[in-house]
Amino acid sequence: MYNLLKGKKGIIFGALDESSIAWKTAERVHEEGGVFVLTNAPASIRLGNITALAEKTNSQVIAADATSVADLENLVEQAMEILGGKIDFVLHSIGMSVNVRKGNHYTNQNYEFTEKGWNVSAVSFHKVMQVLYKKDAINEWGSIVALSYMAAQRVFPDYNDMADNKAFLESIARSFGYFFGRDKKVRVNTISQSPTATRAGTGVKGFNGFIAFADKMSPLGNATAEDCANYVITLFSDLTKKVTLQNLLHDGGFSNMGVSQEVVEMFE
């Protein structure tokens, strides 16, 4: 361990259970000397096991609906009080599609469901940053990271309206990241992660087939949740102080592949 985050303080959104990237990130931040508060929506806290993670990492849990500005204001104020001042890093690991959950095809969406998923998956990121920005809650050279997926740029039919949500998320990161960088010297980036066997990921139709396909397409294989957590650590650290407004591809090389020999052989 290198203590890359010694003395750094933050907020981690979205740790649900041991399979989640936010959970793995929290463990790695703790190992690298960082301290943080954990947060999730009240319903997700009841469904998951976040209290066990809090005990393991000596952190506190603050319930907050990331679509509620009032909840986010309370979260940030409590976090600064608990942690003793401004924070240095934030992980937004939130995504949800009601259309996917209900089995609605992309060409037959329930638009109330679409708007709810859009709000949870993308607009919540703007709300989080707006609260942090207005409260001047992040130290200079702080880092904000959100998790995305390559369906924001390419067609993955069964990813449904989550593809649109991720495209919007990435746009918010660039647009708000400009103002955060210019005015506060804070970095904002997204990570476009390999398909990962989290609870949310496995809810996508055909996930098992696709994760196997992606693994055969990627020269380094799929990046795991643990791999992603390690990457997040580098973005929270001072080693990446001038990296901002980027959608960083973390997918074992999948995004630059046309086809692999392994996939060709499957069809011969």
Side-chain angles (χ1 to χ4, degrees):
M1 303 306 167
Y2 301 99
N3 289 322
L4 287 174
L5 302 182
K6 187 175 182 180
K8 293 192 180 295
K9 303 167 287 189
I11 302 173
I12 295 177
F13 287 80
L16 182 64
D17 58 30
E18 291 86 347
S19 70
S20 70
I21 292 171
W23 186 293
K24 302 296 186 186
T25 301
E27 292 178 328
R28 288 292 293 115
V29 169
H30 178 65
E31 289 169 358
E32 293 292 346
V35 295
F36 49 85
V37 297
L38 297 163
T39 185
N40 214 326
S44 295
I45 289 174
R46 290 192 296 271
L47 285 171
N49 194 25
I50 196 171
T51 53
L53 177 63
E55 290 174 7
K56 181 177 182 180
T57 58
N58 194 30
S59 57
Q60 293 190 38
V61 179
I62 303 172
D65 177 353
T67 67
S68 165
V69 172
D71 276 17
L72 292 171
E73 289 174 339
N74 177 64
L75 167 67
V76 171
E77 288 167 4
Q78 283 197 52
M80 288 195 290
E81 183 176 341
I82 291 167
L83 298 172
K86 290 186 181 184
I87 62 178
D88 302 289
F89 60 85
V90 175
L91 176 66
H92 179 282
S93 181
I94 306 171
M96 184 273 293
S97 168
V98 186
N99 280 307
V100 168
R101 288 183 180 178
K102 299 294 186 180
N104 294 338
H105 193 268
Y106 186 77
T107 60
N108 186 37
Q109 292 187 37
N110 175 315
Y111 291 117
E112 289 184 5
F113 294 168
T114 305
E115 290 175 11
K116 186 172 183 179
W118 167 79
N119 197 13
V120 171
S121 305
V123 181
S124 67
F125 190 42
H126 193 286
K127 291 177 180 178
V128 167
M129 288 197 285
Q130 183 165 291
V131 169
L132 292 166
Y133 182 90
K134 286 186 173 182
K135 289 186 175 296
D136 193 26
I138 302 191
N139 286 314
E140 283 196 354
W141 306 112
S143 176
I144 302 171
V145 176
L147 297 181
S148 189
Y149 182 54
M150 198 174 62
Q153 289 84 35
R154 300 187 187 180
V155 177
F156 293 86
D158 290 328
Y159 203 60
N160 210 305
D161 56 339
M162 276 303 300
D164 304 327
N165 296 338
K166 292 300 188 184
F168 189 23
L169 178 84
E170 292 176 15
S171 179
I172 289 169
R174 289 186 295 269
S175 297
F176 217 129
Y178 165 73
F179 296 105
F180 244 131
R182 184 194 68 181
D183 301 336
K184 312 284 189 180
K185 294 294 183 287
V186 170
R187 299 162 277 163
V188 180
N189 296 287
T190 55
I191 294 175
S192 187
Q193 166 70 1
S194 294
T196 310
T198 62
R199 187 181 293 191
T202 53
V204 175
K205 181 182 175 184
F207 178 81
N208 289 337
F210 179 67
I211 194 171
F213 170 78
D215 199 52
K216 287 187 179 296
M217 279 285 289
S218 308
L220 296 180
N222 290 330
T224 65
E226 291 86 353
D227 294 329
C228 190
N230 286 328
Y231 196 29
V232 173
I233 294 300
T234 69
L235 293 174
F236 285 170
S237 78
D238 290 335
L239 300 176
T240 52
K241 287 175 71 171
K242 293 298 179 73
V243 179
T244 195
L245 312 185
Q246 303 300 309
N247 179 50
L248 299 159
L249 297 159
H250 186 249
D251 58 10
F254 180 92
S255 49
N256 272 331
M257 292 297 295
V259 71
S260 69
Q261 187 63 38
E262 291 83 355
V263 170
V264 168
E265 290 172 356
M266 292 170 64
F267 291 92
E268 286 185 335

